[in-house]
Amino acid sequence: MKQIETYLHKKILVLGLAKSGVTAAALLHKLGAFVTVNDKKPLSENPEARGLLEQGIKVICGEHPVELLDEGFELIVKNPGIPYQNPIVEGALEKGIPVLTEVELAYQISEAPFIGITGTNGKTTTTTLIFEMLNEGKKNPLIAGNIGTVASGVAQEATAENNIVIELSSFQLMGIDTFNPKIAIITNLYDAHLDYHGTRDEYFKAKANITKNQSKGDYFIFNADQEEVLEIAKHSQAATIPFSTKRVLNEGAYISEGYICFNGERVMLVDEIALPGVHNLENILSAMAAAKLTGVSNEAIQTVLRTFTGVKHRLQYVAEIAERKFYNDSKATNILATINALQAFKTPIILMAGGLDRGNEFDELLPYLKNVKALITFGQTSSKIERVGVEAGIKQINTVDNVEKAVPVAFGYSEPGDVILLSPACASWDQYKTFEVRGDIFIEAVHKLK
């Protein structure tokens, strides 16, 4: 960890706790800052805040009082989930007070270079693939961000011998200043999080921040099949490394004659890759490019791709029972993710879908339901998804109370050789705290069938 003096004796407000806020507050305190923590959860229900209080850090809980801005803070470190419409954040920006996320702190203290991954879909799978490839290639990777430990915590332990592989959300990237990954990746871009960003342009702009500080000595790996991402690449100062699943490229990562290739070199046969799904080829190509740029051998990349079957809750293979294969895709919280999951299989599918109603319809699923022989719906969107199922001509449709009840019903509709797939196309918050909880309940229900 670099011993920086940037924050020595500076008054800093950490807004919002959770893991990132706790770690950032403790780090800033260690760096000699005068830290105040503000969290909406009352102190009596907030063990994290009480822990910081015991370290001698000032804590204000129960609300976000705008009057805090009168205390002369020089910087605010914001939890990524807190919107910029928050009165304290708005007031700080009006006063010219910088508002950052803890990813920026991680970069400032890290002795290790970063490999940063963002995009709408595929971030977690790509991040995990890169970590596994670097690990197999003896490149001493550490993993951080939404997928692993808080970035500023990992950075405190990292040395120059490590590589920090970090998954980055648009929320985090809005709060950077100097953050500059040695390798940056945008997997793809689609409309998402518009309730937070307001417009797709603002969302794309936040994602583009991943390469804004890069220079000629850095690399920007990008999806060459999307015009929006190509436009971002045109403005990057880094060496641009394209990838494509649709065409052969002169350089970068692509598929040719049944092989995944990098800069004209065949790395391995597509048919030898264990991870299912055409959409996962985007993740595989971008991960392979990052691994090759870091000096990982083809043999190490091949070993990972022959054995890696997916990240938990992301088209995760769970079990085979009575010749039926079960897959947990609880992370499919939007329609596109479910379309990708449906395209991953050529065998008949029993689909379980439903969840939080955000006001949208599901007609985009229609062209991709041809292999779905039965549909089990649950949650607030049950009737909407059922309507689409009827239009698709699915004969067997059933609505149940929740995921746990959906599993035995789905099994009852299935036959040997079928895939039973949880891919909700919706967020989980109508019934479950997180998509992870929803996926764990699915897994538990599957194992009860044995």
Side-chain angles (χ1 to χ4, degrees):
M1 167 179 162
K2 295 176 183 175
Q3 297 298 321
I4 62 173
E5 297 187 357
T6 310
Y7 302 111
L8 185 64
H9 301 151
K10 288 193 174 181
K11 290 192 69 174
I12 299 174
L13 174 65
V14 175
L15 189 62
L17 282 179
K19 289 181 181 179
S20 64
V22 170
T23 307
L27 171 60
L28 288 164
H29 183 65
K30 187 190 297 186
L31 293 172
F34 301 125
V35 182
T36 298
V37 169
N38 176 223
D39 194 61
K40 204 166 187 179
K41 191 186 295 184
L43 189 62
S44 59
E45 304 170 14
N46 204 326
E48 296 90 353
R50 293 198 298 272
L52 293 172
L53 198 60
E54 290 170 4
Q55 296 179 45
I57 295 172
K58 183 179 178 181
V59 173
I60 298 170
C61 287
E63 60 176 340
H64 292 312
V66 181
E67 295 77 20
L68 273 174
L69 292 175
D70 297 332
E71 296 193 15
F73 293 111
E74 298 170 75
L75 171 69
I76 292 179
V77 177
K78 180 184 77 69
N79 181 290
I82 294 175
Y84 282 79
Q85 291 73 32
N86 176 283
I88 291 181
V89 177
E90 285 187 330
L93 293 174
E94 286 175 8
K95 290 175 176 282
I97 302 171
V99 178
L100 303 175
T101 55
E102 61 86 31
V103 170
E104 177 68 22
L105 301 181
Y107 176 73
Q108 291 175 3
I109 65 164
S110 178
E111 295 178 12
F114 283 79
I115 301 174
I117 302 95
T118 197
T120 302
N121 290 321
K123 295 186 297 295
T124 302
T125 298
T126 303
T127 302
T128 308
L129 277 169
I130 294 170
F131 173 80
E132 295 294 342
M133 288 174 182
L134 267 61
N135 194 47
E136 184 68 24
K138 306 294 189 293
K139 298 298 179 182
N140 304 312
L142 301 171
I143 199 163
N146 294 338
I147 187 173
T149 312
V150 176
S152 56
V154 173
Q156 291 181 59
E157 306 301 324
T159 71
E161 301 302 312
N162 298 119
N163 290 275
I164 298 178
V165 186
I166 180 169
E167 177 184 339
L168 294 162
S169 70
S170 57
F171 305 162
Q172 291 169 308
L173 288 167
M174 285 185 76
I176 64 168
D177 180 25
T178 62
F179 176 78
N180 178 20
K182 180 68 178 175
I183 299 174
I185 299 173
I186 294 183
T187 58
N188 49 58
L189 288 178
Y190 301 97
D191 290 358
H193 302 300
L194 300 189
D195 52 343
Y196 186 100
H197 293 284
T199 67
R200 74 195 302 263
D201 286 345
E202 287 301 311
Y203 171 60
F204 289 2
K205 183 179 176 182
K207 291 292 193 183
N209 278 349
I210 196 168
T211 187
K212 76 171 186 178
N213 294 320
Q214 289 190 297
S215 58
K216 290 181 180 179
D218 304 317
Y219 299 98
F220 177 44
I221 300 169
F222 68 96
N223 190 332
D225 296 331
Q226 288 195 309
E227 287 297 327
E228 296 89 347
V229 185
L230 275 167
E231 192 60 32
I232 292 171
K234 288 177 185 176
H235 295 92
S236 175
Q237 299 303 307
T240 51
I241 311 293
F243 69 87
S244 173
T245 61
K246 297 179 179 178
R247 54 198 170 95
V248 175
L249 303 174
N250 294 326
E251 59 180 1
Y254 53 90
I255 300 166
S256 176
E257 298 180 350
Y259 285 84
I260 57 169
C261 305
F262 183 75
N263 286 348
E265 177 189 16
R266 290 178 171 181
V267 176
M268 73 178 292
L269 282 164
V270 173
D271 288 347
E272 295 179 358
I273 295 170
L275 187 63
V278 174
H279 68 288
N280 273 320
L281 287 173
E282 286 186 350
N283 308 326
I284 288 163
L285 290 175
S286 58
M288 174 185 67
K292 293 286 284 182
L293 291 170
T294 315
V296 175
S297 69
N298 288 353
E299 290 74 20
I301 293 169
Q302 292 163 6
T303 297
V304 171
L305 292 180
R306 286 181 180 132
T307 56
F308 182 83
T309 56
V311 179
K312 191 175 183 183
H313 308 300
R314 294 158 178 85
L315 208 58
Q316 170 200 6
Y317 174 72
V318 176
E320 182 172 338
I321 300 173
E323 298 180 57
R324 285 88 158 164
K325 291 183 178 179
F326 291 80
Y327 286 86
N328 166 29
D329 195 35
S330 185
K331 180 60 171 67
T333 57
N334 57 54
I335 294 170
L336 177 64
T338 294
I339 289 172
N340 286 336
L342 292 170
Q343 290 181 304
F345 303 103
K346 295 179 180 178
T347 52
I349 297 169
I350 316 297
L351 175 64
M352 291 175 279
L356 182 72
D357 192 346
R358 282 176 158 155
N360 60 287
E361 298 294 334
F362 294 84
D363 297 86
E364 292 169 69
L365 287 174
L366 269 170
Y368 305 96
L369 296 174
K370 295 172 185 176
N371 269 7
V372 176
K373 62 186 283 187
L375 175 64
I376 319 299
T377 67
F378 50 85
Q380 292 177 354
T381 58
S382 287
S383 60
K384 290 184 174 183
I385 296 175
E386 181 180 345
R387 175 187 66 77
V388 172
V390 170
E391 288 189 31
I394 299 172
K395 303 298 183 186
Q396 301 176 106
I397 302 177
N398 201 325
T399 297
V400 297
D401 291 340
N402 52 47
V403 168
E404 185 177 13
K405 291 183 178 179
V407 171
V409 173
F411 185 77
Y413 282 127
S414 68
E415 297 174 309
D418 290 350
V419 163
I420 299 176
L421 171 67
L422 170 68
S423 190
C426 303
S428 62
W429 304 322
D430 60 330
Q431 293 183 304
Y432 306 101
K433 186 176 180 182
T434 64
F435 71 82
E436 290 97 339
V437 171
R438 179 171 64 188
D440 286 339
I441 288 171
F442 170 76
I443 293 169
E444 187 177 340
V446 169
H447 289 309
K448 284 179 181 177
L449 294 174
K450 292 181 177 179

